[in-house]
Amino acid sequence: MTTPLPLPDGLSERPLVPTDAAAVTAVMAAQELHDVGEVVIEEADIVAEWQSPGYDVPGSTVGVFDGETLVAYAEVSHGERGDAAVHPEHRGRGLGTALARWMQERAREKGSSRIGMPVPVDSPGDRLLESLGYFVRWNSWVLRLPAGTAVPQRDLPEGFAVGVASPEQYPQCWTVQEDAFLEWSDRDRQSFEQWRAWTDLRPGFEPWHLRVVTDPAGDVVAVAVLQIHPPCAYIARLATRRDQRGRGLAQALLVDAFAAGAAHGTTVCELSTDSRTGALGLYEKVGMVVTSNWVNRAIDV
């Protein structure tokens, strides 16, 4: 049983429930605005994670409350992944350290040997985790296409086509993405149902958000998942089947996905990548620029 948090007077803790998603979003948004100057979290991100099959929200989370107001939270999700946030107005009270200890203990109870989370480089969270002995696993970057810049057009090979995925193609999209991501990520394979939790079952999803390249036989060989955060079109996932790489399919999907976003009123184009993929140079080559730098820190438990 996880040890209760050592909290300052006036604060209390309890496990969270799905209806707390909005409150978690508010705390994370306040932290992001303070640390990186913009808000990137959406409530749909929390809902998508928490609705994933097999995810036990009360058994995987803890919230710190000042009266009825959530001021900090932590969770230990699938595998070695976790996340935490402390409202900037409540920093300096030991909550970050207490939540980090809670995450380590909860990860051990879940059978994990390691727990990690992303934090902006040189942010208070980054410095805290470093002081607690967390090591760097990888770096990640958010990139943006500058206003007035377009990704250079790439023609598809003969017989290939780009467009919206049909529901019948969703299992192929899942397979292409998982096969590609598991080449460099150290985690268990996501089930199709888990994949759906943050794609077509994610709040706000529209069919045109899932873009694909198909080969002459009609098989999905590349996939992009768009998320719309007005005014931003954000590519949450981009993957190409291994035997079809080096043919410009990812670049063609970038052009297609950002154009689809623009057709629906977006004016900003973004995506993220990390050092495990080796894709940073590709995105910079087509004109995207880094807007924020994150680091994933972890500790053995």
Side-chain angles (χ1 to χ4, degrees):
M1 189 69 176
T2 309
T3 305
L5 296 173
L7 296 177
D9 290 343
L11 301 184
S12 62
E13 70 168 275
R14 67 165 172 81
L16 300 178
V17 294
T19 54
D20 290 314
V24 170
T25 303
V27 171
M28 296 187 75
Q31 177 171 276
E32 289 176 348
L33 186 61
H34 183 276
D35 291 347
V36 299
E38 64 177 341
V39 174
V40 296
I41 190 69
E42 278 194 314
E43 185 176 346
D45 300 324
I46 306 299
V47 173
E49 175 70 27
W50 287 3
Q51 72 181 1
S52 181
Y55 190 73
D56 175 14
V57 177
S60 304
T61 62
V62 65
V64 178
F65 291 82
D66 182 358
E68 297 297 317
T69 303
L70 183 73
V71 298
Y73 107 106
E75 67 178 300
V76 174
S77 50
H78 304 284
E80 301 173 356
R81 291 173 48 212
D83 216 336
V86 177
H87 196 287
E89 294 179 359
H90 287 266
R91 285 177 173 169
R93 307 180 71 187
L95 298 183
T97 299
L99 291 174
R101 303 296 189 199
W102 178 91
M103 292 171 70
Q104 294 173 36
E105 188 174 346
R106 193 69 192 93
R108 283 193 296 270
E109 292 175 352
K110 286 187 163 212
S112 296
S113 59
R114 180 177 292 174
I115 184 66
M117 61 177 288
V119 286
V121 168
D122 202 33
S123 66
D126 185 20
R127 295 191 292 271
L128 171 64
L129 294 184
E130 183 180 25
S131 73
L132 295 175
Y134 284 63
F135 58 89
V136 175
R137 293 200 287 186
W138 60 80
N139 277 79
S140 59
W141 304 272
V142 177
L143 295 101
R144 179 175 298 164
L145 194 65
T149 304
V151 175
Q153 184 73 43
R154 283 290 295 269
D155 293 330
L156 290 170
E158 185 177 354
F160 286 66
V162 62
V164 177
S166 68
E168 293 75 23
Q169 291 174 320
Y170 288 5
Q172 291 186 52
C173 296
W174 161 65
T175 299
V176 168
Q177 182 212 290
E178 280 298 284
D179 287 350
F181 278 44
L182 287 173
E183 291 178 24
W184 47 262
S185 59
D186 183 17
R187 60 168 174 78
D188 293 333
R189 188 178 188 86
Q190 275 192 337
S191 69
F192 179 54
E193 291 72 23
Q194 288 173 321
W195 177 86
R196 291 192 66 200
W198 61 262
T199 50
D200 64 303
L201 297 181
R202 182 181 184 273
F205 175 82
E206 299 287 348
W208 63 270
H209 294 175
L210 191 53
R211 323 292 297 185
V212 293
V213 174
T214 53
D215 66 10
D219 294 329
V220 174
V221 292
V223 59
V225 182
L226 264 177
Q227 293 175 357
I228 303 302
H229 312 261
C232 178
Y234 177 77
I235 296 182
R237 297 290 189 275
L238 180 65
T240 302
R241 206 171 71 188
R242 188 169 189 170
D243 65 325
Q244 296 293 337
R245 292 176 194 160
R247 310 186 72 185
L249 306 188
Q251 190 168 333
L253 265 180
L254 284 178
V255 173
D256 169 77
F258 289 155
H264 288 80
T266 64
T267 57
V268 178
C269 304
E270 288 185 339
L271 55 74
S272 63
T273 189
D274 70 50
S275 53
R276 296 171 297 172
T277 70
L280 178 62
L282 165 68
Y283 300 131
E284 291 180 321
K285 186 177 180 180
V286 299
M288 304 194 76
V289 297
V290 172
T291 58
S292 63
N293 189 355
W294 295 64
V295 65
N296 190 293
R297 287 191 177 272
I299 193 168
D300 295 325
V301 299

